[in-house]
């Protein structure tokens, strides 16, 4: 008799998840089976489930019915053939990035640029991603299969609910690393109170960030963000005027070295353009948000002022391990997160809850091990 497990699966685009007993997935070489304790219900999940095939038909979903769930954490239940250095019972975060290990980018060690790169339990970036998506379902099930290369060992002081935030946090971390963020650099984050943007404030002590300017709309939420690091973070509501005017006032007309765009889908393109105008000569914009479509940029100004625009998607398991080590060392404090936890049986309610979040502070978790 095959062992079974409870899983949430979507059978048709935009339908609710169905709770089903399905066989526990079999373990292949190089893989581990993880008992899932927490999955992050990230703000974009509802878009993926309902809108993705319309908005981004070039970015495929897994073959339906499929188990979604992007950011899982749990403990290793079984170890596949050839896996070295991991043990049953290890507490882990599973980085959902999947790659083929065989294409040109993979062979160069440039894993996120794999030509088949996929987010397990979410979507892929090319037609060949589907094979990886179908081999590696997401975390909205009692157990999941993960390649050993995706694992991040959790220190004792990092709980599963906080660990399941590692994906969005890692997106900010990887972007800040790519542009050399650190002491002495001035940083502007558009969308600082959101799930992505808040990461810059949480990561500030570990990265030695000394000046972070942040914008959003909600003034009450902005104050809560600024209170986390009052000597580092300055905030501005978009209701009080354009971002570039505020930045030029704050910096004596110079502008910022780094502009991180963490705006959500549907944000006004003008806010991005203001961020570009807020860049100092030689500055870099890194886009990790979800702005869509074509937005005009003054290319002559870009050349004259030697500005750079960079796109950055996600982070590697190695970068997540660095963040786990920072938590272990006490320089990355995730205690400001407010966990909202539901059992797997309430997965549809959890996805609907997203609209009621307290900005990026709310950490929506489905826990397949909770009753
Ligand atoms: Zn590859």
């Amino acid at each position: 008799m095959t062992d079974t497990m409870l899983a949430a699966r979507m059978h048709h685009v935009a339908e609710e998840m169905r709770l089903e007993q399905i066989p526990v997935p079999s373990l292949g070489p190089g893989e581990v089976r993880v008992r899932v304790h927490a999955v992050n219900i990230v703000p974009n999940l509802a878009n993926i489930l309902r809108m993705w095939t319309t908005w981004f038909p070039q970015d495929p979903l897994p073959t339906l019915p499929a188990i979604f769930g992007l950011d899982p954490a749990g403990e290793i239940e079984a170890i596949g053939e050839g896996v070295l250095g991991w043990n049953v019972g290890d507490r882990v975060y599973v980085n959902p990035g999947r790659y083929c290990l065989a294409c040109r980018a993979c062979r160069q060690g440039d894993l996120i640029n794999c030509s088949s790169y996929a987010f397990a339990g979410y979507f892929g970036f090319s037609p060949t991603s589907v094979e990886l998506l179908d081999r590696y379902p997401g975390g909205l099930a009692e157990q999941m299969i993960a390649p050993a290369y995706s694992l991040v060992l959790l220190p004792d002081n990092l709980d599963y609910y906080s660990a399941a935030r590692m994906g969005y946090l890692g997106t900010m971390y990887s972007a800040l690393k790519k542009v050399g963020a650190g002491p002495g650099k001035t940083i502007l984050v558009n969308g600082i109170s959101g799930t992505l943007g808040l990461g810059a404030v949480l990561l500030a002590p570990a990265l030695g960030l000394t000046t972070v300017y942040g914008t959003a709309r909600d003034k009450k939420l902005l104050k809560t963000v600024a209170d986390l690091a009052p000597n580092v973070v300055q905030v501005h509501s978009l209701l009080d005027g354009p971002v570039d005017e505020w930045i030029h006032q704050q910096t004596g007309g110079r502008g910022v070295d780094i502009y991180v765009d963490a705006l959500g889908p549907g944000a006004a393109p003008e806010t991005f353009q203001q961020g570009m105008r807020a860049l100092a000569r030689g500055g870099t914009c890194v886009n990790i948000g979800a702005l869509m479509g074509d937005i005009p940029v003054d290319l002559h100004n870009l050349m004259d002022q030697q500005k750079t625009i960079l796109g950055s998607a996600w982070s590697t398991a190695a970068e997540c391990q660095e963040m786990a080590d920072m938590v272990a060392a006490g320089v990355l404090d995730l205690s400001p997160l407010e966990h909202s936890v539901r059992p797997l049986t309430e997965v549809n309610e959890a996805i609907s809850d997203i609209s009621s979040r307290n900005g990026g502070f709310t950490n929506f978790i489905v826990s397949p091990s909770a009753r």
Side-chain angles (χ1 to χ4, degrees):
M1 198 184 89
T2 318
D3 284 342
T4 64
M5 65 173 189
L6 187 64
R9 295 200 297 178
M10 187 172 81
H11 283 247
H12 300 285
V13 169
E15 272 187 17
E16 289 209 324
M17 304 269 178
R18 295 187 206 169
L19 287 151
E20 298 168 308
Q21 286 289 334
I22 63 170
V24 171
S26 60
L27 194 54
E31 298 172 345
V32 303
R33 198 169 70 238
V34 172
R35 182 161 291 279
V36 184
H37 291 308
V39 186
N40 205 311
I41 303 300
V42 299
N44 200 36
L45 180 62
N47 292 329
I48 304 287
L49 301 176
R50 290 165 198 156
M51 303 309 301
W52 220 243
T53 51
T54 310
W55 286 354
F56 303 109
Q58 71 278 18
D59 290 346
L61 298 184
T63 307
L64 302 179
I67 302 170
F68 287 80
L70 181 68
D71 267 332
E75 65 184 293
I76 297 181
E77 177 103 353
I79 304 262
E81 193 187 325
V83 173
L84 303 175
W86 294 93
N87 298 298
V88 170
D90 281 348
R91 300 170 66 252
V92 294
Y93 164 74
V94 181
N95 187 309
R98 298 289 176 270
Y99 34 85
C100 75
L101 293 171
C103 72
R104 184 175 288 267
C106 280
R107 284 179 286 136
Q108 290 171 335
D110 186 10
L111 303 169
I112 294 182
N113 285 328
C114 170
S115 56
S116 301
Y117 191 74
F119 289 141
Y122 213 45
F123 67 91
F125 294 83
S126 77
T128 52
S129 304
V130 176
E131 199 160 322
L132 289 169
L133 288 169
D134 291 351
R135 171 62 198 144
Y136 296 111
L140 287 169
E142 287 176 313
Q143 298 191 52
M144 68 180 293
I145 298 291
Y149 69 63
S150 68
L151 301 175
V152 176
L153 189 64
L154 302 181
D156 292 341
N157 65 342
L158 180 50
D159 63 88
Y160 290 123
Y161 299 158
S162 303
R165 183 63 173 261
M166 201 98 80
Y168 268 47
L169 199 61
T171 297
M172 179 61 82
Y173 178 61
S174 184
L176 291 173
K177 275 187 75 173
K178 284 179 183 121
V179 297
K185 299 277 188 182
T186 46
I187 295 162
L188 163 67
V189 180
N190 269 349
I192 199 160
S193 64
T195 311
L196 274 177
L198 189 61
V201 181
L202 298 174
L203 289 160
L207 293 177
L209 307 185
T210 47
T211 312
V212 177
Y213 299 106
T215 73
R217 289 189 163 273
D218 187 321
K219 293 185 184 182
K220 186 161 160 276
L221 204 51
L222 276 170
K223 179 166 185 332
T224 315
V225 172
D227 286 347
L228 290 175
N231 296 326
V232 173
V233 179
Q234 312 288 328
V235 294
H236 170 77
S237 170
L238 298 174
L239 304 173
D240 290 340
V243 177
D244 49 333
E245 286 179 16
W246 174 64
I247 287 293
H248 285 124
Q249 282 164 11
Q250 296 288 317
T251 60
R254 179 179 176 268
V256 291
D257 300 306
I258 294 164
Y259 159 42
V260 182
D261 188 279
L263 296 168
E270 293 76 24
T271 313
F272 173 82
Q273 292 167 314
Q274 291 164 16
M276 286 301 298
R277 287 198 291 271
L279 273 180
R281 184 171 175 82
T284 302
C285 163
V286 55
N287 175 32
I288 58 173
L291 281 174
M292 292 161 63
D294 296 331
I295 299 176
V297 170
D298 182 344
L299 278 176
H300 193 267
N301 175 273
L302 191 88
M303 181 273 290
D304 263 1
Q305 296 296 315
Q306 300 209 97
K307 296 177 179 177
T308 305
I309 304 180
L310 192 73
S312 182
W314 214 245
S315 65
T316 62
E319 288 171 322
C320 291
Q321 190 65 64
E322 291 168 13
M323 292 193 299
D325 294 349
M326 290 174 186
V327 173
V331 292
L332 175 54
D333 175 15
L334 300 182
S335 65
L337 299 178
E338 301 158 7
H339 306 304
S340 167
V341 185
R342 286 181 180 269
L344 185 56
T345 48
E346 294 174 16
V347 59
N348 291 308
E349 291 84 342
I351 293 167
S352 309
D353 280 349
I354 283 289
S355 52
S356 66
R357 67 183 182 272
N358 180 27
F361 288 95
T362 312
N363 194 36
F364 285 105
I365 297 293
V366 163
S367 175
S369 58
R371 291 284 172 265

